Amino acid sequence: MKKRQFLKLTGIMGAGVVVAPFMACSEASKPEEKTGTPEEPTAPEAIEFTLPALGYGFDALAPKIDAMTMEIHHGKHHAGYVRKLNAALMDAPQYAGMSLEEIMAAVSADETGVRNNGGGHFNHSLYWQVISPSEAKAPTGDLLNAINEAFGSVEAFSEAFFTAAKTRFGSGWAWLSVGTDGKLFVSSTPNQDNPMMKGIVDAPGTPILGIDVWEHAYYLNYQNMRGDYINAFMELINWDVVAKNFAG
Ligand code: MN3
């Protein structure tokens, strides 16, 4: 934010031809000094989100999700959301000091930069975790009980989740979330929206499992066969992580 305000200021100074030449000269020299120090970590209003490490190899989920898809998805798509979120927050000082979760809860529909890129960062951070390599291939314990209570059976949950992901028109996500009543529910959202965005979505809640159904998540391996990707994803789900999200 400081840098952008500074550039605006120097733009005005540059346009002001009435200022004395020595002033214009000294102002013009400052942007070069600034570019020598790209990081300003000590600025109190600086909000810098970072790309979380994947925590496992790009090929760890192959062949269900191939290494190139993982590398591009994490290193290009997710990284891009983080970068653009940080840029959007430079113009949104009302979010200073907030966690990503707090920003999601507060963002409004017309704040497209924070909505799309904050959502992109939140959603992908969850996505990498819930498909991390694991031996836990089915829900157990309290989570199993909650699934049975909400859906009747794991099979019925799987069908609801699959359908939500398959029928999401265009780009978006499908979710398993804990609702405000404490019960589990399945929903889907367009683009990078998520159930945390209580000012935007129809069904607010805390997502504990999410599948990305943007084509970039599966097209290299599955082309137009979104259903095959969803089935592969569901076989990859790390139910230990989902249970931890549920408990948290
Ligand atoms: Mn994605």
Side-chain angles (χ1 to χ4, degrees), residues 73 124 173 212 216:
H73 200 177
H124 289 88
W173 292 72
D212 186 344
H216 68 230

Side-chain angles (χ1 to χ4, degrees), residues 110-135:
D110 58 351
E111 294 175 289
T112 51
V114 175
R115 176 186 182 179
N116 293 337
N117 297 295
H121 181 33
F122 179 92
N123 299 348
H124 289 88
S125 297
L126 178 65
Y127 180 81
W128 310 127
Q129 291 177 30
V130 298
I131 54 173
S132 56
S134 166
E135 295 304 310

Side-chain angles (χ1 to χ4, degrees), residues 1-21:
M1 181 161 58
K2 279 175 110 175
K3 193 177 291 179
R4 183 158 307 184
Q5 285 175 341
F6 178 81
L7 290 172
K8 278 179 187 166
L9 179 64
T10 54
I12 291 163
M13 291 297 286
V17 291
V18 294
V19 297

Side-chain angles (χ1 to χ4, degrees), residues 2-248:
K2 279 175 110 175
K3 193 177 291 179
R4 183 158 307 184
Q5 285 175 341
F6 178 81
L7 290 172
K8 278 179 187 166
L9 179 64
T10 54
I12 291 163
M13 291 297 286
V17 291
V18 294
V19 297
F22 75 89
M23 277 192 69
C25 186
S26 68
E27 287 298 328
S29 69
K30 283 186 179 176
E32 286 188 78
E33 290 169 20
K34 281 284 181 181
T35 56
T37 54
E39 301 293 325
E40 294 179 323
T42 54
E45 72 272 36
I47 308 167
E48 283 287 325
F49 288 101
T50 55
L51 180 68
L54 197 54
Y56 48 91
F58 293 128
D59 61 351
L61 306 175
K64 290 187 171 70
I65 300 180
D66 62 283
M68 185 176 285
T69 294
M70 291 295 290
E71 185 169 1
I72 296 171
H73 200 177
H74 181 262
K76 301 294 183 188
H77 291 278
H78 189 175
Y81 293 122
V82 172
R83 190 175 63 249
K84 291 173 192 169
L85 171 62
N86 287 332
L89 289 172
M90 291 173 78
D91 290 329
Q94 67 272 29
Y95 295 116
M98 284 192 189
S99 69
L100 185 57
E101 289 76 9
E102 289 168 335
I103 293 171
M104 294 294 92
V107 73
S108 61
D110 58 351
E111 294 175 289
T112 51
V114 175
R115 176 186 182 179
N116 293 337
N117 297 295
H121 181 33
F122 179 92
N123 299 348
H124 289 88
S125 297
L126 178 65
Y127 180 81
W128 310 127
Q129 291 177 30
V130 298
I131 54 173
S132 56
S134 166
E135 295 304 310
K137 294 305 177 196
T140 57
D142 290 344
L143 176 58
L144 176 61
N145 293 338
I147 287 174
N148 285 333
E149 188 188 340
F151 302 99
S153 66
V154 173
E155 291 70 27
F157 152 73
S158 297
E159 197 174 317
F161 188 79
F162 180 93
T163 300
K166 183 78 162 51
T167 60
R168 162 48 54 190
F169 181 76
S171 299
W173 292 72
W175 307 98
L176 174 65
S177 303
V178 182
T180 49
D181 59 358
K183 278 192 70 174
L184 292 172
F185 69 97
V186 163
S187 66
S188 80
T189 53
N191 304 316
Q192 296 295 352
D193 289 352
N194 64 57
M196 296 288 283
M197 299 175 177
K198 60 186 180 186
I200 295 175
V201 298
D202 294 332
T206 304
I208 62 172
L209 170 67
I211 179 171
D212 186 344
V213 294
W214 285 57
E215 285 185 345
H216 68 230
Y218 63 87
Y219 210 84
L220 288 180
N221 205 17
Y222 295 97
Q223 292 81 49
N224 62 323
M225 307 298 283
R226 185 190 283 188
D228 290 352
Y229 157 69
I230 299 167
N231 282 327
F233 172 95
M234 293 180 74
E235 290 171 12
L236 288 171
I237 294 172
N238 182 334
W239 285 102
D240 284 336
V241 169
V242 182
K244 187 161 64 70
N245 293 341
F246 177 65

